[in-house]
Amino acid sequence: MTTLTAKDKQTVKAFWAKVSGKSEDIGADAVARMLVVYPQTKIYFSHWPDQSPNSPAARKHGITVMMGVGDAVTKMDDLKEGLKELSQLHAFTLRVDPGNFKILSHNILVVMAVMFPTDFTPDVHVSLDKFLAAVSLALSEKYR
Amino acid sequence: MPENSVSADLQTGSDKMVEWTDFERDTIKDIFSRIEYDVVGPAALARCLVVYPWTQRYFGGFGNLYNAAAIKGNPMVSKHGTTIMHGLDRAVKNLDDIENTYTELSVLHSEKLHVDPDNFKLLADCVTIVVAAQLGKEFTGEVQAAFQKFLAVVVSSLGRQYH
């Protein structure tokens, strides 16, 4: 399910080129939604003094996440290798249950629909969904 | 299970009614009063058939589903998408008893249509995406939570009569 075809890669790159200018807003909104719609995800942020979805910490985290996604776009020909260090971080330091990658991916897709309703066509949706699944898999690589 | 979890194992045993806050009720009714069923339904079903192409297995009689353009333009897909929205409408009108409202529909999907209940969630996610695109910024995190909770109850109720 996660092998990206040439068409997927092309589609994701083209869509990313259109939307990456808003990557900070996308990330901030995706993380905010995740915290509201899936409140169990808040457990990973118990160290934040302010866990509300629009807090500066939440926004900053959204920006960080989206920078990672943008980086993954440039490494999509070998995500396992390209995201090796990020995987180590998530596996050994952050220890985020990989089920949550799917949750955040879903919220990224919702934000794309909200912000880019015309550009986020079904063809873009399927390629981006596959890409995010591939990123999630690469992030899970070092877990066990 | 956390309240807002949208996992497909949402437990809605018949001795445990789903509780809706006023915000959730108002939000769900508001969304359904604003969206056009014959726009959202067709778009959501078409998107599901493109994004999760294995769901095409249930629509062998629908003709050309060869690519996204064909799916989007397929009149049987459009008609069925609208039918689905009217089905959701029944849940909106019976928020306090979605489970019983959907008993027959659940039997239908299980015994006659043989739909894998995991696929209900896939369609629900596409409905969410299409509604998000329609409502834009008004589809806030809180609105999304209420809408996804509604769809989770629908999905769970549709799966209840599978044996």
Side-chain angles (χ1 to χ4, degrees), chain B:
Chain B
M1 265 298 176
E3 271 171 37
N4 283 329
S5 163
V6 291
S7 131
D9 339 297
L10 182 69
Q11 296 297 312
T12 50
S14 52
D15 57 349
K16 226 184 349 180
M17 285 241 311
V18 181
E19 305 213 359
W20 305 99
T21 63
D22 287 343
F23 173 81
E24 286 165 347
R25 277 180 205 277
D26 292 343
T27 296
I28 292 159
K29 287 182 192 292
D30 182 58
I31 290 174
F32 277 84
S33 74
R34 290 167 60 182
I35 57 176
E36 293 169 70
Y37 288 16
D38 58 4
V39 169
V40 170
L45 180 57
R47 191 167 283 257
C48 187
L49 296 171
V50 171
V51 177
Y52 310 106
W54 54 96
T55 58
Q56 292 171 24
R57 72 188 308 285
Y58 306 112
F59 302 103
F62 274 31
N64 186 0
L65 299 178
Y66 188 61
N67 55 33
I71 291 168
K72 187 173 168 192
N74 185 311
M76 291 181 79
V77 171
S78 298
K79 180 161 180 271
H80 194 63
T82 307
T83 300
I84 289 170
M85 291 313 286
H86 286 287
L88 288 180
D89 189 67
R90 292 174 56 192
V92 177
K93 295 192 156 65
N94 291 283
L95 280 180
D96 290 314
D97 199 9
I98 293 177
E99 210 176 276
N100 286 323
T101 303
Y102 274 0
T103 302
E104 279 165 30
L105 267 177
S106 180
V107 171
L108 174 78
H109 282 76
S110 164
E111 310 281 300
K112 182 150 179 264
L113 304 176
H114 307 295
V115 177
D116 183 338
D118 283 351
N119 293 171
F120 299 144
K121 182 167 195 308
L122 302 182
L123 180 58
D125 283 350
C126 289
V127 173
T128 299
I129 295 279
V130 170
V131 167
Q134 291 274 301
L135 299 184
K137 288 230 152 32
E138 290 178 41
F139 196 68
T140 62
E142 288 78 11
V143 168
Q144 181 184 341
F147 192 65
Q148 287 194 198
K149 179 177 168 179
F150 168 74
L151 289 177
V153 175
V154 164
V155 163
S156 169
S157 302
L158 274 178
R160 259 190 81 77
Q161 304 305 325
Y162 278 65
H163 304 292

Side-chain angles (χ1 to χ4, degrees), chain A residues 7-8 11 38 40 49 60 66 77-78 81 114 129-130 136-137 139 142:
Chain A
K7 179 170 176 244
D8 287 325
T11 301
Y38 304 88
Q40 68 271 24
K60 179 163 179 273
M66 237 34 213
D77 288 327
D78 191 352
E81 180 59 32
V114 166
D129 191 23
K130 286 178 73 177
S136 301
L137 195 66
L139 277 180
K142 298 287 178 195

Side-chain angles (χ1 to χ4, degrees), chain A residues 6 15 30 47-48 51 56-57 60 67 74 76 79 81 87 89 93 96 100-101 104 109 113-114 116-117 124 137-138:
Chain A
F15 182 68
H47 55 285
W48 289 350
Q51 281 182 42
K60 179 163 179 273
M67 272 175 50
T74 68
M76 66 167 79
L79 286 171
E81 180 59 32
S87 181
L89 175 74
T93 309
V96 175
N100 295 292
F101 299 147
L104 184 53
L109 296 177
V114 166
F116 308 101
V124 168
L137 195 66

